Amino acid sequence: VNEKNFARRAAALPTTFPAPHFPSEMGADTKIFDSAFAAPELLPDLAELASKILSDHKEELLQYSPTQGQPYLREWIAEYLTDDGCAGIGPNNILITNGAKHALDLICRLLLDEGDLVAVTAPTYFTMLPIFRSFGVRFIEVSQDTQGIIVDDLSAHFRRLADNDLPLPKIVYDIPEFHNPSGVTTSRERREKLIELCGRHDVLIVEDSPYRRVRFTGDDIPSYKALDTGDNVLQVGTVSKLIAPGLRIGWVAAHEQFITRLIALKSDGGTSALLQRLVYEFCMSPAFRGHQPQVSSTYHEKCDRMVVAFRREIPEAEILPPDGGYCLWVKLPEGKDGDLLTAKACAADINIFKGSLFFANAPVFPENRTVPKNFIRLSYSYATFDEIDEGVRVIGEIYRAL
Amino acid sequence: VNEKNFARRAAALPTTFPAPHFPSEMGADTKIFDSAFAAPELLPDLAELASKILSDHKEELLQYSPTQGQPYLREWIAEYLTDDGCAGIGPNNILITNGAKHALDLICRLLLDEGDLVAVTAPTYFTMLPIFRSFGVRFIEVSQDTQGIIVDDLSAHFRRLADNDLPLPKIVYDIPEFHNPSGVTTSRERREKLIELCGRHDVLIVEDSPYRRVRFTGDDIPSYKALDTGDNVLQVGTVSKLIAPGLRIGWVAAHEQFITRLIALKSDGGTSALLQRLVYEFCMSPAFRGHQPQVSSTYHEKCDRMVVAFRREIPEAEILPPDGGYCLWVKLPEGKDGDLLTAKACAADINIFKGSLFFANAPVFPENRTVPKNFIRLSYSYATFDEIDEGVRVIGEIYRAL
């Protein structure tokens, strides 16, 4: 294979296969705290429903279907978002995708040219970093505190970019609910401030919202999409965190002028109508109404269990218990090496992520930016209580021996 | 929405929603001869199988799964290709995708930079044209005759490019079996000649092979992938034409160095394991063994029916009955306007494609290249015998009134 045949940016792509990572690739003794897999006990029983829809709608489900997605599912999502406070959303504002990452990838393809800037929080969702990088962008890293993205820091970046005759970022990417990895939920004040700043500068906001309905505590705060009045927000949703990741149904909610172009870029022959109808029928069923509170309470209990375990095993770690979601962001005392802790934990079959993974680490203005090494990220979503207790106990042992 | 926020190449994307096109969007009286939809009567009954796998493998099917695809399905595809004459193919040479178009899109992303050249036959599969264009490429159009791609014409292009200090095309894109739209099956001699030429010049071949197993007549000819000894061929396959398009399972078969990089570009959170296992279990079932000959014989009969109808209604049309596949390419006498015929047929609820759609029409060397207007393309795959008879009868009426 002659590498001169690859596209220029493909030179940075991996030349080895990914390491085993998914539950099906792990031994039974492995504690899976790395990726935010679904709790097995929450996966719904869809056998009967799948059989029924394949009987009742065989041709629809097995034929090619429209690229934008089935009208009934787009209608349902539009109503779901309207109920969630988004005004003026109809089925033409929705594009169904093969999961949320596919939606984010398509948005990048629509908006990003090589060399463009993208603003991300520090830390940010690490899976997005290689996707952004594959488009050849540079990063603006915006600080975050317990109220969410620090809009004054973003604003200072905007000024500094203008002072240096550099363009503003094309998009600001954020996860306002139970931020992955930090767990922070952005306050209403910060949300309004971000919408105002980006609206004034005509910068688009990509709101990644996988966990919004997995809230344990506190009251809903309107989404960026709900607060936006200027069509500046593209919101990405998914059923992965609420129903099941294996269904691979996500969506973009945005102004029609984004949707028409995204349809043209979605070169997949349409998302499987079988999966679309399975999601739709489940969402319309009585089972769904009971499912949602069960999801929240199950992850709430798992989250509490892991917080308690850390407070017992590593009391000096700082943890902000999230109001929802699947993940815990653990700050070790300064000077403690989270990367080393992660390597040793993984070697002991306790899969966690090092916090340093979650930093873009390629800022336009690099001075004064260092990637902190004293963080680890854990998902409590997949594991049992016993696995959480035992896993965190061993992490504590490794930590004390560092 | 401010268009300055879009990527440069997004300016060419459509600003309106696609017109209705899919069977579910059409009235009952419409004759659907345009896209190659599956014959409804051939769609397998998967209700029981779906129910069984969702009971037996619930966690596997509803959890995130590896991006490359489930090992058992990659193993099955590798054996399927080995049986088809491809040497040295194992599961690590396979990437599962969300249908074949997704595979082709990923290959473009891996290989193509803006301004690169792509060689396509004239005519070529029209759905690929906007995908290629979204990568900002230019086209080399290679002539085709009843033996397939004219390799001497491609070779002449190579020489002319070199004489003009232009780079060779990054890829040659072709459909050697029952070419879409022309129906031509490339001869073994031409295949060997193409492999030799591209091997010598280190140009990659993208072999799009959706219809290979839907052969009615004649003997199998080894695929490009089977004939290639230099890892110069990326072959794209799918179950859409053999089982059901709605399952959206396709694949790339290629050297590992392509696969590792394609995995990194496949930012979709993995193809649904539910769909992967449904395909796998169906392929392993006794039903599949009976299904394949039924597919071939059904489409053969439909093809014959449409050929006979055209010979009755428009005897002066030239038709090369294909040895397989879903589509018929009809050449009207010179001077007859296939575009106008298509417009009038569609207005009469007989959906066909104008032949001029199938030409890249943006060649690097434009002189002496004109897009012929005396072709139409029809799929016989979806329609009933009566619809074929009645649809072609009306097309004949419209033709005579042109």
Side-chain angles (χ1 to χ4, degrees), chain B residues 301-315:
Chain B
E301 288 168 11
K302 290 191 180 205
C303 178
D304 282 352
R305 189 83 175 201
M306 191 175 265
V307 170
V308 167
F310 265 102
R311 288 185 174 154
R312 183 174 60 231
E313 300 294 336
I314 313 183

Side-chain angles (χ1 to χ4, degrees), chain B residues 215-232:
Chain B
R215 181 181 270 279
F216 321 143
T217 48
D219 294 326
D220 276 348
I221 302 170
S223 67
Y224 290 158
K225 185 77 195 145
L227 291 170
D228 177 42
T229 53
D231 294 318
N232 264 4

Side-chain angles (χ1 to χ4, degrees), chain A residues 2-3 7-8 14 38 43 58-59 62-64 105 109-110 113 202 241 245-246 248 260 268 272 382, chain B residues 2 7-8 14 38 43 58-59 62-64 105 109-110 113 135 202 241 245-246 248 260-261 268 272 382:
Chain A
N2 188 336
E3 294 190 16
R8 216 165 3 89
L43 294 171
K58 180 167 118 172
E59 190 179 343
L62 296 182
Q63 191 61 270
Y64 290 107
D105 189 72
R109 195 149 156 188
L110 177 67
D113 285 313
D202 206 8
K241 303 306 179 184
R248 307 313 305 130
T260 61
D268 63 355
S272 169
Y382 183 82
Chain B
N2 188 335
R8 214 162 8 87
L43 294 171
K58 180 167 118 173
E59 189 179 342
L62 296 182
Q63 192 60 271
Y64 289 107
D105 188 72
R109 196 149 155 187
L110 177 68
D113 285 313
F135 289 89
D202 207 8
K241 303 306 179 186
R248 308 312 304 133
T260 61
R261 291 164 167 103
D268 63 355
S272 168
Y382 183 82

Side-chain angles (χ1 to χ4, degrees), chain A residues 1-8 10 13-18 22-23 25 36-38 40 43-47 50-51 54-55 58-59 61-66 68 92 98 101-102 105 109-113 131 134-135 170 202 204 240-241 244-248 255-261 263-265 267-270 272 274-275 278 382, chain B residues 1-8 10 13-18 22-23 25 36-38 40 43-47 50-51 54-55 58-59 61-66 68 92 98 101-102 105 109-113 131 134-135 170 202 204 240-241 244-248 255-261 263-265 267-270 272 274-275 278 382:
Chain A
V1 172
N2 188 336
E3 294 190 16
K4 83 156 177 54
N5 287 318
F6 294 124
R8 216 165 3 89
L13 296 172
T15 58
T16 55
F17 286 95
F22 293 87
E25 299 172 317
F37 299 111
L43 294 171
D45 187 353
L46 298 174
S51 171
L54 275 162
S55 300
K58 180 167 118 172
E59 190 179 343
L61 270 51
L62 296 182
Q63 191 61 270
Y64 290 107
S65 62
Q68 189 180 359
N92 274 352
N98 308 317
K101 276 197 276 287
H102 181 221
D105 189 72
R109 195 149 156 188
L110 177 67
L111 301 178
L112 299 177
D113 285 313
I131 297 178
S134 77
F135 290 88
K170 271 284 185 67
D202 206 8
L204 297 171
S240 292
K241 303 306 179 184
L247 297 173
R248 307 313 305 130
H255 188 280
E256 292 186 6
Q257 285 304 304
F258 296 109
I259 301 297
T260 61
R261 289 163 167 103
I263 293 169
L265 290 172
S267 314
D268 63 355
S272 169
L274 166 55
L275 299 178
L278 197 52
Y382 183 82
Chain B
V1 170
N2 188 335
E3 294 190 17
K4 83 158 176 54
N5 287 318
F6 294 124
R8 214 162 8 87
L13 296 173
T15 58
T16 54
F17 287 95
F22 293 86
E25 299 172 317
F37 299 111
L43 294 171
D45 188 354
L46 298 173
S51 171
L54 275 161
S55 299
K58 180 167 118 173
E59 189 179 342
L61 271 52
L62 296 182
Q63 192 60 271
Y64 289 107
S65 63
Q68 190 180 358
N92 274 351
N98 308 317
K101 275 196 277 287
H102 182 219
D105 188 72
R109 196 149 155 187
L110 177 68
L111 301 177
L112 299 177
D113 285 313
I131 297 177
S134 77
F135 289 89
K170 272 283 185 68
D202 207 8
L204 298 172
S240 292
K241 303 306 179 186
L247 297 173
R248 308 312 304 133
H255 188 280
E256 293 186 6
Q257 285 304 305
F258 296 109
I259 302 296
T260 61
R261 291 164 167 103
I263 293 169
L265 289 173
S267 314
D268 63 355
S272 168
L274 166 54
L275 299 178
L278 197 52
Y382 183 82

Side-chain angles (χ1 to χ4, degrees), chain A residues 8-254:
Chain A
R8 216 165 3 89
R9 289 207 300 269
L13 296 172
T15 58
T16 55
F17 286 95
H21 171 75
F22 293 87
S24 61
E25 299 172 317
M26 292 294 145
D29 290 340
T30 305
K31 311 289 184 292
I32 298 177
F33 301 148
D34 50 355
S35 282
F37 299 111
E41 66 271 29
L42 283 174
L43 294 171
D45 187 353
L46 298 174
E48 207 179 311
L49 193 58
S51 171
K52 182 173 176 354
I53 62 173
L54 275 162
S55 300
D56 294 352
H57 306 275
K58 180 167 118 172
E59 190 179 343
E60 176 208 317
L61 270 51
L62 296 182
Q63 191 61 270
Y64 290 107
S65 62
T67 312
Q68 189 180 359
Q70 294 299 70
Y72 53 80
L73 183 59
R74 292 188 285 114
E75 186 79 53
W76 187 87
I77 292 167
E79 282 172 24
Y80 178 86
L81 296 181
T82 302
D83 290 347
D84 194 33
C86 298
I89 295 270
N92 274 352
N93 298 107
I94 306 295
L95 173 72
I96 306 288
T97 59
N98 308 317
K101 276 197 276 287
H102 181 221
L104 292 161
D105 189 72
L106 286 170
I107 289 172
C108 288
R109 195 149 156 188
L110 177 67
L111 301 178
L112 299 177
D113 285 313
E114 188 160 1
D116 279 347
L117 302 189
V118 170
V120 296
T121 50
T124 187
Y125 176 43
F126 81 110
T127 304
M128 275 312 291
L129 293 173
I131 297 178
F132 282 134
R133 286 199 189 100
S134 77
F135 290 88
V137 303
R138 293 181 300 164
F139 294 100
I140 296 286
E141 290 188 85
V142 187
S143 303
Q144 202 188 37
D145 62 17
T146 56
Q147 302 300 300
I149 185 168
I150 302 180
V151 183
D152 288 343
D153 189 37
L154 180 62
S155 181
H157 273 295
F158 282 8
R159 278 193 302 277
R160 190 168 174 188
L161 288 165
D163 290 346
N164 286 275
D165 284 325
L166 288 168
L168 295 186
K170 271 284 185 67
I171 58 179
V172 176
Y173 169 78
D174 196 17
I175 307 147
E177 254 75 42
F178 334 125
H179 184 280
N180 182 353
S182 72
V184 168
T185 296
T186 306
S187 69
R188 177 160 185 150
E189 190 194 331
R190 287 283 174 81
R191 292 179 195 226
E192 287 173 347
K193 211 165 158 173
L194 180 70
I195 300 285
E196 189 281 324
L197 178 73
C198 289
R200 185 152 40 88
H201 290 278
D202 206 8
V203 170
L204 297 171
I205 297 171
V206 176
E207 177 179 32
D208 191 3
S209 189
Y211 298 107
R212 186 164 168 85
R213 288 274 152 252
V214 190
R215 181 180 270 279
F216 323 143
T217 48
D219 295 326
D220 276 347
I221 302 171
S223 67
Y224 289 158
K225 185 78 194 144
L227 291 170
D228 177 42
T229 54
D231 294 317
N232 265 3
V233 175
L234 295 95
Q235 189 188 51
V236 173
T238 176
V239 304
S240 292
K241 303 306 179 184
L242 196 51
I243 307 178
L247 297 173
R248 307 313 305 130
I249 296 291
W251 63 84
V252 182

Side-chain angles (χ1 to χ4, degrees), chain B residues 361-392:
Chain B
N361 195 20
V364 174
F365 303 120
E367 72 277 25
N368 303 325
R369 291 263 167 200
T370 53
V371 173
K373 293 187 82 176
N374 58 324
F375 286 90
I376 55 175
R377 197 207 74 173
L378 299 95
S379 298
Y380 42 77
S381 53
Y382 183 82
T384 63
F385 283 175
D386 285 349
E387 287 171 335
I388 290 172
D389 290 345
E390 172 62 10
V392 177

